[in-house]
Amino acid sequence: MEKRIRELTDLLNRYRQEYYTNDAPSVSDSDYDQLYHELVALEKEYPEYVLQDSPTQQVGGTILTGFDKYQHQYPLFSLQDAFSRNELELFDKRVKAEFPSAQYLAELKIDGLSISLVYERGILQVGATRGDGHIGENITENIKKIKDIPQKLDQPLDITVRGEAYMSRQSFKLINEERRENGEAEFANPRNAAAGTLRQLDTAIVAKRQLATFLYQEASPTISSHQDKVLKELADLGFSVNNRHYLSSSMDEIWAFIQSVEADRDRLPYEIDGVVIKVNQLAMQEELGFTVKAPRWAIAYKFPAEEKEAKLISVDWTVGRTGVVTPTANLTPVQLAGTTVSRATLHNVDYIAEKDIRVGDTVIVYKAGDIIPAVLRVVFDSRDEQEPLVIPTQCPSCQGDLVHFEDEVALRCINPLCPSLIQRGLEHFASRNAMNISGLGPAIVEKLFSAGLVHDVADIYRLTKDDLLKLEGVKEKSADKLLTAIEQSKANSAEKLLFGLGIRHVGAKASRQILATCGDLETLLTIEIDDIAKIDGLGLVIAKSLVQYFQQEAAIILVQELKTAGVNLAYLGQKMDSSAALFGLTVVLTGKLEKLNRNDAKAKLERLGAKVTSSVSKKTDLVIAGSDAGSKLEKAQQLGIRIEGEDWLYHL
């Protein structure tokens, strides 16, 4: 029976791939059902032989307790956006300056949720969300409920692939109809529905909602030489691959393809929000490299936003974590990019003045980046006798005086005791890119603040179970989970804590650079401006803001309170050592490496104190050249830059 169960499992999985991925079934539904029911009966009689990749395990479901964090072996980068043909031509010019023979592959930009799939010996081991690109959520059990994702490949490969999980327009329509009938809130758009589905703790709901995928990247090292060949390889392995893409070395032809896709956009069975253009040759991709956030070899053209007219009814003013007071327009509801919009940002007071926006105006509304509703302009032909908008002079939260600094476009509340300022700061402290305290979202922070249980971030670490159970809607299980998350956050590397403090101008990257150099948070209490300003990439503005913050008595007390609470104040990553062999040098990698892969070589250089960049310039101190090095090596030779080989780096 064990052998028959294996045969049926493999056979049914092949039929599922033909049906869901290839759209070319080779058997009738009745034949499939007959084999399926045979497998169900055998598995019921011999449960010890049920296989992990059995199709019967992809229906029904279990209730999960939550999602573990997952460290991506290969980071997921976001893409640089373009909104005009001119930006695409500038991208083309930059690429062709280094590689005149570069070709581009244009692929549809699916509006879904990025996923990463890890296979070992051909068996699906991990399905994870993108997260921040380095750490995502392990959603493997939910991923297994998506019918077009193979749980077992035909080949016993170790491979990591990337793609997009999405919900079709038809599934979205049916789900919202069902939610309406049940009196539940409707999903705003298919992307939100897909994201919400994959974060469901009931896997049966995931199975029911019929998500689908398009895979487009092999993140692990590939034998393919071109991106279009990667797509074919993925399709051959059984993954669902979008077959609408276009290959050309001409940006004129790529633009024509973009226009044809945009014309067909609303007729596609799934949502797209643009077209991604990639350098097709993978060797060129490797040479072009990455910026801090995005690959230099790809760009995402975003379709122009849909625009609608709406009536501006009133304006709300809200205080953010840095004290910036932001205006938001309340509008007559309009349908925009698949969602109902009744509120939109007005950006700032200078924008209101520049556009002469007034209550009662008819305005044009659009979604900036297809995400955030914003007011674009006034329809002046529809204006009657509206008065200019009254700009507040006092904070809507604490009634303190608002300041409009000369170097800013924003109104700002500078009262450090402003309730909204403190509350937004607490939300930021708990957020994913800061201390990542799961469960401590805006709603819980508001309840804690209103109850007088937290006044600053140190108070978070004084919370007890009894405190949490006093809050409306908080039960024993959620209280325990939140306390566990708070306790776990104490072990974070200190750059997370520094970023979480919300110091003006000090972002996540700067926090990491500062603590990689200084070592721990207590050192910052006595640091000098010049010591910070000389750190590569920071400068005087960040240095002044940081030092001024830590010179405050309140900041000194806060650091001591955090230390007493057991919060780690030390940097746990690779420290910058001024005695390191390559400390302070700017280094470029080029060519094919034999002993080290590109990521290992970069990590080694950074451990040796180097700053690794992707292009050669007069500021470059050293070039590490592998075999088949091209234009970067030639440029280094022309500029008289020091050149070493891979062996030199390997033995350093």
Side-chain angles (χ1 to χ4, degrees):
M1 288 303 108
E2 182 180 3
K3 182 180 178 183
R4 180 56 178 165
I5 287 174
R6 177 75 269 175
E7 288 174 351
L8 286 170
T9 297
D10 289 343
L11 190 61
L12 288 168
N13 280 336
R14 178 161 67 83
Y15 291 157
R16 285 162 61 85
Q17 179 186 327
E18 291 172 350
Y19 184 89
Y20 291 109
T21 304
N22 302 341
D23 197 23
S26 61
V27 296
S28 67
D29 289 351
S30 59
D31 287 342
Y32 179 92
D33 291 341
Q34 184 177 343
L35 293 171
Y36 184 85
H37 290 309
E38 180 187 350
L39 179 60
V40 170
L42 287 173
E43 288 180 344
K44 186 175 181 180
E45 187 174 354
Y46 304 98
E48 66 272 23
Y49 296 141
V50 175
L51 296 164
Q52 182 183 355
D53 61 327
S54 170
T56 66
Q57 303 306 298
Q58 298 184 50
V59 294
T62 56
I63 304 299
L64 307 175
T65 58
F67 300 113
D68 294 329
K69 302 299 179 188
Y70 178 75
Q71 175 82 47
H72 294 294
Q73 182 180 0
Y74 307 100
L76 287 81
F77 286 82
S78 56
L79 292 173
Q80 175 191 346
D81 287 337
F83 299 93
S84 67
R85 180 172 181 174
N86 182 57
E87 289 174 277
L88 294 182
E89 288 171 349
L90 289 173
F91 167 76
D92 179 45
K93 185 176 180 181
R94 288 194 299 271
V95 170
K96 294 290 179 63
E98 291 201 44
F99 297 103
S101 61
Q103 290 181 309
Y104 301 115
L105 190 71
E107 304 172 30
L108 304 195
K109 188 173 184 298
I110 309 300
D111 197 9
L113 184 74
S114 294
I115 57 171
S116 178
L117 307 176
V118 180
Y119 290 80
E120 293 178 6
R121 296 184 178 274
I123 304 297
L124 177 64
Q125 299 296 324
V126 177
T129 63
R130 179 185 183 279
D132 64 3
H134 297 277
I135 297 175
E137 290 176 313
N138 188 328
I139 56 167
T140 306
E141 294 307 311
N142 284 342
I143 285 291
K144 288 179 178 179
K145 303 302 177 185
I146 302 178
K147 293 178 178 178
D148 66 3
I149 292 180
Q151 293 192 39
K152 182 183 179 185
L153 305 178
D154 291 339
Q155 302 175 39
L157 299 175
D158 292 342
I159 187 173
T160 299
V161 296
R162 300 273 162 73
E164 205 81 5
Y166 68 92
M167 182 176 286
S168 70
R169 296 180 194 267
Q170 180 64 18
S171 294
F172 177 70
K173 179 183 176 184
L174 293 174
I175 287 170
N176 267 352
E177 286 175 357
E178 181 181 329
R179 293 176 75 85
R180 255 195 317 273
E181 291 171 3
N182 295 336
E184 298 175 295
E186 295 179 43
F187 285 118
N189 52 53
R191 188 196 182 283
N192 285 359
T197 298
L198 282 177
R199 292 191 173 95
Q200 272 285 334
L201 296 180
D202 185 347
T203 61
I205 294 176
V206 182
K208 182 181 177 182
R209 288 186 179 167
Q210 301 181 40
L211 297 185
T213 62
F214 285 124
L215 281 296
Y216 53 74
Q217 182 190 7
E218 184 176 346
S220 49
T222 177
I223 60 172
S224 296
S225 58
H226 293 73
Q227 172 63 12
D228 60 338
K229 290 182 171 61
V230 168
L231 295 182
K232 184 179 185 305
E233 177 192 355
L234 293 176
D236 290 343
L237 286 171
F239 295 106
S240 179
V241 173
N242 194 297
N243 59 13
R244 187 163 185 180
H245 44 79
Y246 185 76
L247 179 65
S248 176
S249 59
S250 164
M251 194 53 74
D252 288 340
E253 292 183 2
I254 295 293
W255 180 252
F257 172 75
I258 290 171
Q259 290 180 305
S260 71
V261 169
E262 188 173 5
D264 293 341
R265 178 183 182 185
D266 292 336
R267 291 190 287 272
L268 294 172
Y270 44 82
E271 297 259 351
I272 63 171
D273 59 355
V275 173
V276 177
I277 298 98
K278 303 173 183 176
V279 172
N280 193 44
Q281 298 96 324
L282 300 190
M284 292 181 187
Q285 288 187 11
E286 188 173 356
E287 284 283 302
L288 288 163
F290 296 82
T291 66
V292 173
K293 294 182 178 180
R296 298 180 189 274
W297 43 264
I299 194 166
Y301 175 78
K302 303 292 286 289
F303 293 134
E306 183 183 4
E307 299 177 1
K308 290 286 182 66
E309 287 189 4
K311 197 87 166 180
L312 198 160
I313 301 167
S314 62
V315 175
D316 292 335
W317 300 84
T318 54
V319 185
R321 70 174 179 86
T322 62
V324 171
V325 178
T326 305
T328 302
N330 295 305
L331 308 164
T332 53
V334 291
Q335 281 292 313
L336 195 63
T339 64
T340 301
V341 171
S342 58
R343 286 170 62 81
T345 181
L346 290 166
H347 301 293
N348 52 64
V349 292
D350 285 5
Y351 187 83
I352 290 171
E354 177 192 341
K355 302 293 185 180
D356 189 19
I357 297 169
R358 306 181 183 188
V359 171
D361 276 340
T362 297
V363 294
I364 300 296
V365 188
Y366 74 111
K367 279 193 174 180
D370 274 351
I371 299 173
I372 303 170
V375 172
L376 180 62
R377 64 180 182 275
V378 173
V379 181
F380 287 105
D381 290 345
S382 300
R383 174 173 285 176
D384 295 323
E385 299 295 328
Q386 290 90 342
E387 293 295 320
L389 191 63
V390 176
I391 304 299
T393 57
Q394 292 182 308
C395 174
S397 178
C398 69
Q399 283 69 56
D401 291 341
L402 296 178
V403 178
H404 190 183
F405 291 112
E406 289 184 7
D407 62 337
E408 289 190 329
V409 296
L411 285 176
R412 189 180 291 274
C413 174
I414 57 173
N415 175 14
L417 301 178
C418 174
S420 289
L421 201 74
I422 297 170
Q423 190 173 321
R424 298 290 93 74
L426 290 166
E427 292 169 8
H428 169 73
F429 184 82
S431 65
R432 178 177 294 180
N433 290 333
M435 292 299 276
N436 195 20
I437 304 176
S438 178
L440 192 56
I444 295 296
V445 168
E446 184 176 2
K447 290 177 182 179
L448 289 168
F449 192 76
S450 299
L453 292 170
V454 292
H455 304 89
D456 60 27
V457 297
D459 286 336
I460 293 172
Y461 296 98
R462 300 188 185 101
L463 291 171
T464 66
K465 188 171 181 177
D466 287 342
D467 290 333
L468 296 177
L469 291 176
K470 292 174 186 175
L471 304 178
E472 182 184 353
V474 176
K475 306 298 181 186
E476 189 165 339
K477 188 175 180 181
S478 56
D480 287 337
K481 287 179 67 176
L482 178 52
L483 289 172
T484 299
I486 291 171
E487 187 64 29
Q488 289 174 341
S489 75
K490 292 179 181 179
N492 287 339
S493 186
E495 72 272 15
K496 295 275 190 180
L497 175 58
L498 179 58
F499 177 56
L501 294 177
I503 302 168
R504 194 176 175 207
H505 301 306
V506 181
K509 181 184 175 184
S511 296
R512 186 167 58 252
Q513 288 177 282
I514 290 164
L515 284 169
T517 303
C518 300
D520 62 73
L521 213 67
E522 287 182 292
T523 302
L524 302 181
L525 298 175
T526 56
I527 202 84
E528 298 291 336
I529 289 176
D530 288 346
D531 294 328
I532 299 297
K534 69 183 181 183
I535 297 174
D536 186 42
L538 297 189
L540 207 54
V541 172
I542 291 175
K544 283 182 177 179
S545 183
L546 183 88
V547 171
Q548 286 170 1
Y549 177 88
F550 283 107
Q551 284 178 345
Q552 299 175 97
E553 184 180 356
I556 296 169
I557 294 171
L558 178 62
V559 170
Q560 186 56 50
E561 288 177 337
L562 290 167
K563 183 179 180 181
T564 302
V567 178
N568 172 59
L569 304 183
Y571 177 66
L572 303 180
Q574 184 71 36
K575 293 183 174 64
M576 295 297 290
D577 182 0
S578 59
S579 64
L582 302 179
F583 180 77
L585 298 186
T586 298
V587 181
V588 172
L589 284 163
T590 185
K592 184 179 178 182
L593 303 180
E594 302 294 339
K595 296 179 179 178
L596 298 166
N597 66 41
R598 188 59 63 104
N599 288 335
D600 289 342
K602 183 180 178 183
K604 182 178 177 72
L605 286 165
E606 289 175 343
R607 287 197 299 273
L608 292 167
K611 176 185 176 183
V612 182
T613 62
S614 60
S615 58
V616 176
S617 70
K618 292 179 180 178
K619 295 182 179 180
T620 304
D621 299 301
L622 171 66
V623 169
I624 307 295
S627 59
D628 299 323
S631 58
K632 293 182 184 180
L633 177 60
E634 293 175 7
K635 189 171 182 180
Q637 291 168 336
Q638 292 169 3
L639 294 172
I641 293 168
R642 177 184 171 191
I643 299 168
E644 298 287 355
E646 182 186 4
D647 284 342
W648 177 87
L649 174 62
Y650 186 79
H651 294 293
L652 189 62

